Each structure stands twice: as C-alpha cells, then as structure tokens.
PDB file of all heavy atoms in Angstrom:
ATOM      1  N   TRP G  65      86.165 158.651  57.827  1.00  0.00           N
ATOM      2  CA  TRP G  65      85.492 159.936  57.622  1.00  0.00           C
ATOM      3  C   TRP G  65      84.043 159.661  57.223  1.00  0.00           C
ATOM      4  O   TRP G  65      83.778 158.974  56.221  1.00  0.00           O
ATOM      5  CB  TRP G  65      86.172 160.729  56.521  1.00  0.00           C
ATOM      6  CG  TRP G  65      87.409 161.472  56.952  1.00  0.00           C
ATOM      7  CD1 TRP G  65      87.523 162.801  57.209  1.00  0.00           C
ATOM      8  CD2 TRP G  65      88.728 160.915  57.141  1.00  0.00           C
ATOM      9  NE1 TRP G  65      88.823 163.121  57.560  1.00  0.00           N
ATOM     10  CE2 TRP G  65      89.578 161.981  57.526  1.00  0.00           C
ATOM     11  CE3 TRP G  65      89.262 159.630  57.046  1.00  0.00           C
ATOM     12  CZ2 TRP G  65      90.930 161.801  57.797  1.00  0.00           C
ATOM     13  CZ3 TRP G  65      90.609 159.447  57.321  1.00  0.00           C
ATOM     14  CH2 TRP G  65      91.427 160.526  57.693  1.00  0.00           C
ATOM     15  N   LEU G  66      83.100 160.218  57.979  1.00  0.00           N
ATOM     16  CA  LEU G  66      81.680 160.035  57.702  1.00  0.00           C
ATOM     17  C   LEU G  66      81.079 161.344  57.204  1.00  0.00           C
ATOM     18  O   LEU G  66      81.380 162.422  57.739  1.00  0.00           O
ATOM     19  CB  LEU G  66      80.926 159.585  58.957  1.00  0.00           C
ATOM     20  CG  LEU G  66      81.503 158.412  59.755  1.00  0.00           C
ATOM     21  CD1 LEU G  66      80.557 158.039  60.887  1.00  0.00           C
ATOM     22  CD2 LEU G  66      81.782 157.210  58.858  1.00  0.00           C
ATOM     23  N   LEU G  67      80.215 161.255  56.201  1.00  0.00           N
ATOM     24  CA  LEU G  67      79.515 162.430  55.688  1.00  0.00           C
ATOM     25  C   LEU G  67      78.166 162.514  56.394  1.00  0.00           C
ATOM     26  O   LEU G  67      77.270 161.701  56.175  1.00  0.00           O
ATOM     27  CB  LEU G  67      79.321 162.311  54.177  1.00  0.00           C
ATOM     28  CG  LEU G  67      78.651 163.517  53.498  1.00  0.00           C
ATOM     29  CD1 LEU G  67      79.497 164.778  53.661  1.00  0.00           C
ATOM     30  CD2 LEU G  67      78.417 163.215  52.016  1.00  0.00           C
ATOM     31  N   MET G  68      78.026 163.507  57.278  1.00  0.00           N
ATOM     32  CA  MET G  68      76.815 163.637  58.068  1.00  0.00           C
ATOM     33  C   MET G  68      75.683 164.249  57.250  1.00  0.00           C
ATOM     34  O   MET G  68      75.904 164.817  56.171  1.00  0.00           O
ATOM     35  CB  MET G  68      77.089 164.490  59.311  1.00  0.00           C
ATOM     36  CG  MET G  68      78.299 164.029  60.124  1.00  0.00           C
ATOM     37  SD  MET G  68      78.125 162.328  60.718  1.00  0.00           S
ATOM     38  CE  MET G  68      76.902 162.557  62.016  1.00  0.00           C
ATOM     39  N   ASP G  69      74.454 164.157  57.767  1.00  0.00           N
ATOM     40  CA  ASP G  69      73.295 164.698  57.051  1.00  0.00           C
ATOM     41  C   ASP G  69      73.403 166.206  56.850  1.00  0.00           C
ATOM     42  O   ASP G  69      72.859 166.757  55.891  1.00  0.00           O
ATOM     43  CB  ASP G  69      72.015 164.382  57.841  1.00  0.00           C
ATOM     44  CG  ASP G  69      71.708 162.897  57.847  1.00  0.00           C
ATOM     45  OD1 ASP G  69      72.211 162.191  56.953  1.00  0.00           O
ATOM     46  OD2 ASP G  69      70.978 162.456  58.754  1.00  0.00           O
ATOM     47  N   SER G  70      74.128 166.877  57.774  1.00  0.00           N
ATOM     48  CA  SER G  70      74.301 168.331  57.677  1.00  0.00           C
ATOM     49  C   SER G  70      75.277 168.731  56.581  1.00  0.00           C
ATOM     50  O   SER G  70      75.401 169.905  56.242  1.00  0.00           O
ATOM     51  CB  SER G  70      74.806 168.869  59.017  1.00  0.00           C
ATOM     52  OG  SER G  70      76.075 168.308  59.325  1.00  0.00           O
ATOM     53  N   GLY G  71      76.002 167.742  56.038  1.00  0.00           N
ATOM     54  CA  GLY G  71      77.044 168.031  55.050  1.00  0.00           C
ATOM     55  C   GLY G  71      78.416 168.143  55.657  1.00  0.00           C
ATOM     56  O   GLY G  71      79.420 168.175  54.932  1.00  0.00           O
ATOM     57  N   ASP G  72      78.495 168.214  56.994  1.00  0.00           N
ATOM     58  CA  ASP G  72      79.786 168.239  57.674  1.00  0.00           C
ATOM     59  C   ASP G  72      80.384 166.834  57.705  1.00  0.00           C
ATOM     60  O   ASP G  72      79.680 165.828  57.554  1.00  0.00           O
ATOM     61  CB  ASP G  72      79.632 168.745  59.112  1.00  0.00           C
ATOM     62  CG  ASP G  72      79.215 170.203  59.171  1.00  0.00           C
ATOM     63  OD1 ASP G  72      79.472 170.924  58.194  1.00  0.00           O
ATOM     64  OD2 ASP G  72      78.637 170.612  60.189  1.00  0.00           O
ATOM     65  N   SER G  73      81.690 166.790  57.936  1.00  0.00           N
ATOM     66  CA  SER G  73      82.346 165.494  58.075  1.00  0.00           C
ATOM     67  C   SER G  73      82.647 165.225  59.542  1.00  0.00           C
ATOM     68  O   SER G  73      82.907 166.135  60.327  1.00  0.00           O
ATOM     69  CB  SER G  73      83.640 165.441  57.255  1.00  0.00           C
ATOM     70  OG  SER G  73      84.589 166.361  57.751  1.00  0.00           O
ATOM     71  N   LEU G  74      82.577 163.974  59.895  1.00  0.00           N
ATOM     72  CA  LEU G  74      82.904 163.505  61.241  1.00  0.00           C
ATOM     73  C   LEU G  74      83.989 162.454  61.114  1.00  0.00           C
ATOM     74  O   LEU G  74      83.858 161.511  60.329  1.00  0.00           O
ATOM     75  CB  LEU G  74      81.657 162.905  61.904  1.00  0.00           C
ATOM     76  CG  LEU G  74      81.876 162.110  63.191  1.00  0.00           C
ATOM     77  CD1 LEU G  74      82.382 163.010  64.309  1.00  0.00           C
ATOM     78  CD2 LEU G  74      80.565 161.416  63.614  1.00  0.00           C
ATOM     79  N   VAL G  75      85.067 162.630  61.875  1.00  0.00           N
ATOM     80  CA  VAL G  75      86.156 161.660  61.861  1.00  0.00           C
ATOM     81  C   VAL G  75      85.978 160.723  63.054  1.00  0.00           C
ATOM     82  O   VAL G  75      85.966 161.162  64.207  1.00  0.00           O
ATOM     83  CB  VAL G  75      87.534 162.340  61.930  1.00  0.00           C
ATOM     84  CG1 VAL G  75      88.646 161.295  61.839  1.00  0.00           C
ATOM     85  CG2 VAL G  75      87.675 163.373  60.822  1.00  0.00           C
ATOM     86  N   VAL G  76      85.803 159.438  62.761  1.00  0.00           N
ATOM     87  CA  VAL G  76      85.661 158.419  63.802  1.00  0.00           C
ATOM     88  C   VAL G  76      86.954 157.625  63.876  1.00  0.00           C
ATOM     89  O   VAL G  76      87.402 157.059  62.871  1.00  0.00           O
ATOM     90  CB  VAL G  76      84.475 157.478  63.492  1.00  0.00           C
ATOM     91  CG1 VAL G  76      84.393 156.369  64.536  1.00  0.00           C
ATOM     92  CG2 VAL G  76      83.169 158.265  63.453  1.00  0.00           C
ATOM     93  N   LEU G  77      87.546 157.604  65.065  1.00  0.00           N
ATOM     94  CA  LEU G  77      88.787 156.870  65.266  1.00  0.00           C
ATOM     95  C   LEU G  77      88.484 155.599  66.054  1.00  0.00           C
ATOM     96  O   LEU G  77      88.212 155.643  67.257  1.00  0.00           O
ATOM     97  CB  LEU G  77      89.805 157.732  66.022  1.00  0.00           C
ATOM     98  CG  LEU G  77      90.274 158.997  65.287  1.00  0.00           C
ATOM     99  CD1 LEU G  77      91.168 159.835  66.186  1.00  0.00           C
ATOM    100  CD2 LEU G  77      91.009 158.636  64.013  1.00  0.00           C
ATOM    101  N   ASN G  78      88.498 154.477  65.344  1.00  0.00           N
ATOM    102  CA  ASN G  78      88.278 153.175  65.971  1.00  0.00           C
ATOM    103  C   ASN G  78      89.620 152.684  66.496  1.00  0.00           C
ATOM    104  O   ASN G  78      90.554 152.434  65.716  1.00  0.00           O
ATOM    105  CB  ASN G  78      87.693 152.202  64.945  1.00  0.00           C
ATOM    106  CG  ASN G  78      87.273 150.889  65.567  1.00  0.00           C
ATOM    107  OD1 ASN G  78      87.424 150.659  66.754  1.00  0.00           O
ATOM    108  ND2 ASN G  78      86.734 150.001  64.734  1.00  0.00           N
ATOM    109  N   THR G  79      89.713 152.536  67.815  1.00  0.00           N
ATOM    110  CA  THR G  79      91.017 152.378  68.462  1.00  0.00           C
ATOM    111  C   THR G  79      91.098 151.084  69.260  1.00  0.00           C
ATOM    112  O   THR G  79      90.172 150.743  70.010  1.00  0.00           O
ATOM    113  CB  THR G  79      91.279 153.569  69.419  1.00  0.00           C
ATOM    114  OG1 THR G  79      91.082 154.789  68.698  1.00  0.00           O
ATOM    115  CG2 THR G  79      92.679 153.529  69.986  1.00  0.00           C
ATOM    116  N   HIS G  80      92.202 150.369  69.105  1.00  0.00           N
ATOM    117  CA  HIS G  80      92.469 149.176  69.910  1.00  0.00           C
ATOM    118  C   HIS G  80      93.931 149.229  70.344  1.00  0.00           C
ATOM    119  O   HIS G  80      94.830 148.845  69.590  1.00  0.00           O
ATOM    120  CB  HIS G  80      92.189 147.902  69.104  1.00  0.00           C
ATOM    121  CG  HIS G  80      92.270 146.647  69.917  1.00  0.00           C
ATOM    122  ND1 HIS G  80      92.309 145.389  69.342  1.00  0.00           N
ATOM    123  CD2 HIS G  80      92.332 146.438  71.257  1.00  0.00           C
ATOM    124  CE1 HIS G  80      92.390 144.477  70.294  1.00  0.00           C
ATOM    125  NE2 HIS G  80      92.401 145.088  71.464  1.00  0.00           N
ATOM    126  N   LEU G  81      94.153 149.735  71.553  1.00  0.00           N
ATOM    127  CA  LEU G  81      95.516 149.849  72.074  1.00  0.00           C
ATOM    128  C   LEU G  81      96.004 148.497  72.581  1.00  0.00           C
ATOM    129  O   LEU G  81      95.225 147.570  72.784  1.00  0.00           O
ATOM    130  CB  LEU G  81      95.582 150.893  73.190  1.00  0.00           C
ATOM    131  CG  LEU G  81      95.113 152.314  72.839  1.00  0.00           C
ATOM    132  CD1 LEU G  81      95.376 153.262  74.012  1.00  0.00           C
ATOM    133  CD2 LEU G  81      95.783 152.830  71.571  1.00  0.00           C
ATOM    134  N   ALA G  82      97.290 148.407  72.817  1.00  0.00           N
ATOM    135  CA  ALA G  82      97.935 147.136  73.155  1.00  0.00           C
ATOM    136  C   ALA G  82      97.358 146.525  74.430  1.00  0.00           C
ATOM    137  O   ALA G  82      97.093 147.222  75.415  1.00  0.00           O
ATOM    138  CB  ALA G  82      99.440 147.349  73.323  1.00  0.00           C
ATOM    139  N   SER G  83      97.166 145.224  74.403  1.00  0.00           N
ATOM    140  CA  SER G  83      96.698 144.507  75.589  1.00  0.00           C
ATOM    141  C   SER G  83      97.890 144.219  76.496  1.00  0.00           C
ATOM    142  O   SER G  83      99.040 144.504  76.165  1.00  0.00           O
ATOM    143  CB  SER G  83      96.017 143.204  75.187  1.00  0.00           C
ATOM    144  OG  SER G  83      96.981 142.259  74.759  1.00  0.00           O
ATOM    145  N   ASN G  84      97.591 143.617  77.647  1.00  0.00           N
ATOM    146  CA  ASN G  84      98.662 143.276  78.594  1.00  0.00           C
ATOM    147  C   ASN G  84      99.372 141.972  78.231  1.00  0.00           C
ATOM    148  O   ASN G  84     100.323 141.579  78.907  1.00  0.00           O
ATOM    149  CB  ASN G  84      98.089 143.175  80.014  1.00  0.00           C
ATOM    150  CG  ASN G  84      97.663 144.515  80.547  1.00  0.00           C
ATOM    151  OD1 ASN G  84      98.356 145.516  80.383  1.00  0.00           O
ATOM    152  ND2 ASN G  84      96.508 144.559  81.191  1.00  0.00           N
ATOM    153  N   HIS G  85      98.882 141.288  77.194  1.00  0.00           N
ATOM    154  CA  HIS G  85      99.527 140.063  76.683  1.00  0.00           C
ATOM    155  C   HIS G  85      99.653 138.985  77.753  1.00  0.00           C
ATOM    156  O   HIS G  85     100.646 138.251  77.792  1.00  0.00           O
ATOM    157  CB  HIS G  85     100.914 140.389  76.106  1.00  0.00           C
ATOM    158  CG  HIS G  85     100.913 141.491  75.097  1.00  0.00           C
ATOM    159  ND1 HIS G  85     100.235 141.418  73.905  1.00  0.00           N
ATOM    160  CD2 HIS G  85     101.498 142.729  75.112  1.00  0.00           C
ATOM    161  CE1 HIS G  85     100.405 142.545  73.221  1.00  0.00           C
ATOM    162  NE2 HIS G  85     101.146 143.353  73.937  1.00  0.00           N
ATOM    163  N   LEU G  86      98.655 138.868  78.622  1.00  0.00           N
ATOM    164  CA  LEU G  86      98.668 137.827  79.641  1.00  0.00           C
ATOM    165  C   LEU G  86      97.972 136.578  79.104  1.00  0.00           C
ATOM    166  O   LEU G  86      96.879 136.666  78.530  1.00  0.00           O
ATOM    167  CB  LEU G  86      97.955 138.302  80.913  1.00  0.00           C
ATOM    168  CG  LEU G  86      98.542 139.519  81.636  1.00  0.00           C
ATOM    169  CD1 LEU G  86      97.732 139.815  82.888  1.00  0.00           C
ATOM    170  CD2 LEU G  86     100.006 139.313  81.977  1.00  0.00           C
ATOM    171  N   SER G  87      98.597 135.426  79.294  1.00  0.00           N
ATOM    172  CA  SER G  87      97.957 134.172  78.925  1.00  0.00           C
ATOM    173  C   SER G  87      96.827 133.878  79.905  1.00  0.00           C
ATOM    174  O   SER G  87      96.705 134.521  80.953  1.00  0.00           O
ATOM    175  CB  SER G  87      98.984 133.031  78.951  1.00  0.00           C
ATOM    176  OG  SER G  87      99.439 132.828  80.286  1.00  0.00           O
ATOM    177  N   SER G  88      95.989 132.884  79.583  1.00  0.00           N
ATOM    178  CA  SER G  88      94.889 132.525  80.483  1.00  0.00           C
ATOM    179  C   SER G  88      95.432 132.059  81.838  1.00  0.00           C
ATOM    180  O   SER G  88      94.848 132.348  82.892  1.00  0.00           O
ATOM    181  CB  SER G  88      94.020 131.435  79.859  1.00  0.00           C
ATOM    182  OG  SER G  88      94.803 130.298  79.530  1.00  0.00           O
ATOM    183  N   GLU G  89      96.568 131.366  81.815  1.00  0.00           N
ATOM    184  CA  GLU G  89      97.189 130.920  83.062  1.00  0.00           C
ATOM    185  C   GLU G  89      97.695 132.114  83.875  1.00  0.00           C
ATOM    186  O   GLU G  89      97.542 132.156  85.101  1.00  0.00           O
ATOM    187  CB  GLU G  89      98.351 129.970  82.753  1.00  0.00           C
ATOM    188  CG  GLU G  89      98.996 129.373  83.998  1.00  0.00           C
ATOM    189  CD  GLU G  89     100.140 128.429  83.660  1.00  0.00           C
ATOM    190  OE1 GLU G  89     100.356 128.159  82.464  1.00  0.00           O
ATOM    191  OE2 GLU G  89     100.818 127.974  84.598  1.00  0.00           O
ATOM    192  N   GLU G  90      98.281 133.093  83.188  1.00  0.00           N
ATOM    193  CA  GLU G  90      98.772 134.285  83.882  1.00  0.00           C
ATOM    194  C   GLU G  90      97.617 135.125  84.425  1.00  0.00           C
ATOM    195  O   GLU G  90      97.716 135.706  85.509  1.00  0.00           O
ATOM    196  CB  GLU G  90      99.645 135.116  82.941  1.00  0.00           C
ATOM    197  CG  GLU G  90     100.994 134.487  82.672  1.00  0.00           C
ATOM    198  CD  GLU G  90     101.768 135.205  81.577  1.00  0.00           C
ATOM    199  OE1 GLU G  90     101.121 135.768  80.663  1.00  0.00           O
ATOM    200  OE2 GLU G  90     103.008 135.200  81.628  1.00  0.00           O
ATOM    201  N   ARG G  91      96.506 135.173  83.686  1.00  0.00           N
ATOM    202  CA  ARG G  91      95.338 135.891  84.195  1.00  0.00           C
ATOM    203  C   ARG G  91      94.809 135.227  85.456  1.00  0.00           C
ATOM    204  O   ARG G  91      94.382 135.895  86.402  1.00  0.00           O
ATOM    205  CB  ARG G  91      94.239 135.932  83.129  1.00  0.00           C
ATOM    206  CG  ARG G  91      94.512 136.910  81.998  1.00  0.00           C
ATOM    207  CD  ARG G  91      93.355 136.918  81.022  1.00  0.00           C
ATOM    208  NE  ARG G  91      93.618 137.812  79.900  1.00  0.00           N
ATOM    209  CZ  ARG G  91      92.821 137.942  78.845  1.00  0.00           C
ATOM    210  NH1 ARG G  91      91.705 137.229  78.784  1.00  0.00           N
ATOM    211  NH2 ARG G  91      93.130 138.773  77.871  1.00  0.00           N
ATOM    212  N   SER G  92      94.815 133.900  85.461  1.00  0.00           N
ATOM    213  CA  SER G  92      94.367 133.177  86.648  1.00  0.00           C
ATOM    214  C   SER G  92      95.280 133.480  87.835  1.00  0.00           C
ATOM    215  O   SER G  92      94.811 133.690  88.959  1.00  0.00           O
ATOM    216  CB  SER G  92      94.348 131.676  86.354  1.00  0.00           C
ATOM    217  OG  SER G  92      93.977 130.943  87.507  1.00  0.00           O
ATOM    218  N   HIS G  93      96.587 133.511  87.584  1.00  0.00           N
ATOM    219  CA  HIS G  93      97.530 133.840  88.656  1.00  0.00           C
ATOM    220  C   HIS G  93      97.332 135.274  89.131  1.00  0.00           C
ATOM    221  O   HIS G  93      97.390 135.557  90.336  1.00  0.00           O
ATOM    222  CB  HIS G  93      98.970 133.651  88.166  1.00  0.00           C
ATOM    223  CG  HIS G  93     100.002 133.860  89.236  1.00  0.00           C
ATOM    224  ND1 HIS G  93     100.295 132.916  90.186  1.00  0.00           N
ATOM    225  CD2 HIS G  93     100.791 134.942  89.519  1.00  0.00           C
ATOM    226  CE1 HIS G  93     101.225 133.376  91.002  1.00  0.00           C
ATOM    227  NE2 HIS G  93     101.537 134.608  90.614  1.00  0.00           N
ATOM    228  N   TYR G  94      97.081 136.179  88.181  1.00  0.00           N
ATOM    229  CA  TYR G  94      96.819 137.578  88.548  1.00  0.00           C
ATOM    230  C   TYR G  94      95.565 137.666  89.418  1.00  0.00           C
ATOM    231  O   TYR G  94      95.508 138.453  90.371  1.00  0.00           O
ATOM    232  CB  TYR G  94      96.653 138.415  87.282  1.00  0.00           C
ATOM    233  CG  TYR G  94      96.343 139.872  87.541  1.00  0.00           C
ATOM    234  CD1 TYR G  94      97.345 140.756  87.894  1.00  0.00           C
ATOM    235  CD2 TYR G  94      95.036 140.355  87.428  1.00  0.00           C
ATOM    236  CE1 TYR G  94      97.068 142.097  88.132  1.00  0.00           C
ATOM    237  CE2 TYR G  94      94.741 141.682  87.668  1.00  0.00           C
ATOM    238  CZ  TYR G  94      95.770 142.549  88.011  1.00  0.00           C
ATOM    239  OH  TYR G  94      95.476 143.865  88.260  1.00  0.00           O
ATOM    240  N   HIS G  95      94.557 136.847  89.098  1.00  0.00           N
ATOM    241  CA  HIS G  95      93.333 136.808  89.891  1.00  0.00           C
ATOM    242  C   HIS G  95      93.653 136.439  91.345  1.00  0.00           C
ATOM    243  O   HIS G  95      93.172 137.086  92.286  1.00  0.00           O
ATOM    244  CB  HIS G  95      92.368 135.799  89.281  1.00  0.00           C
ATOM    245  CG  HIS G  95      91.130 135.545  90.072  1.00  0.00           C
ATOM    246  ND1 HIS G  95      90.083 136.430  90.112  1.00  0.00           N
ATOM    247  CD2 HIS G  95      90.777 134.510  90.892  1.00  0.00           C
ATOM    248  CE1 HIS G  95      89.134 135.962  90.903  1.00  0.00           C
ATOM    249  NE2 HIS G  95      89.530 134.796  91.385  1.00  0.00           N
ATOM    250  N   HIS G  96      94.482 135.414  91.521  1.00  0.00           N
ATOM    251  CA  HIS G  96      94.860 135.006  92.886  1.00  0.00           C
ATOM    252  C   HIS G  96      95.739 136.057  93.554  1.00  0.00           C
ATOM    253  O   HIS G  96      95.653 136.278  94.763  1.00  0.00           O
ATOM    254  CB  HIS G  96      95.580 133.660  92.844  1.00  0.00           C
ATOM    255  CG  HIS G  96      94.696 132.511  92.438  1.00  0.00           C
ATOM    256  ND1 HIS G  96      93.578 132.141  93.148  1.00  0.00           N
ATOM    257  CD2 HIS G  96      94.760 131.671  91.366  1.00  0.00           C
ATOM    258  CE1 HIS G  96      92.990 131.111  92.558  1.00  0.00           C
ATOM    259  NE2 HIS G  96      93.684 130.814  91.466  1.00  0.00           N
TER     260      HIS G  96
END
C-alpha cells in the first residue's frame, strides 16, 4: 500500500506466477 501525494492510497501487487520449471537442457530441447 502506497500513500500518494494526493492522500489517496494505491495498492501495488508485485506478482511472480509459477514458471514452467524447465531445466536448461529441457529449454534447449524445447528450442529444437
């Protein structure tokens, strides 16, 4: 929650959803 200069609040949602969990070798295979 951020307090803006206007006095209003702003809710910032910092989001990191699940990755595909591919190893570097699997990413290389996916590339091919």
Side-chain angles (χ1 to χ4, degrees):
W65 279 257
L66 311 185
L67 183 62
M68 309 301 287
D69 292 339
S70 62
D72 293 336
S73 65
L74 168 65
V75 183
V76 176
L77 296 174
N78 187 359
T79 308
H80 187 193
L81 303 186
S83 73
N84 291 317
H85 308 298
L86 299 182
S87 65
S88 56
E89 184 180 354
E90 287 171 330
R91 285 182 182 175
S92 177
H93 185 78
Y94 179 79
H95 174 76
H96 292 300

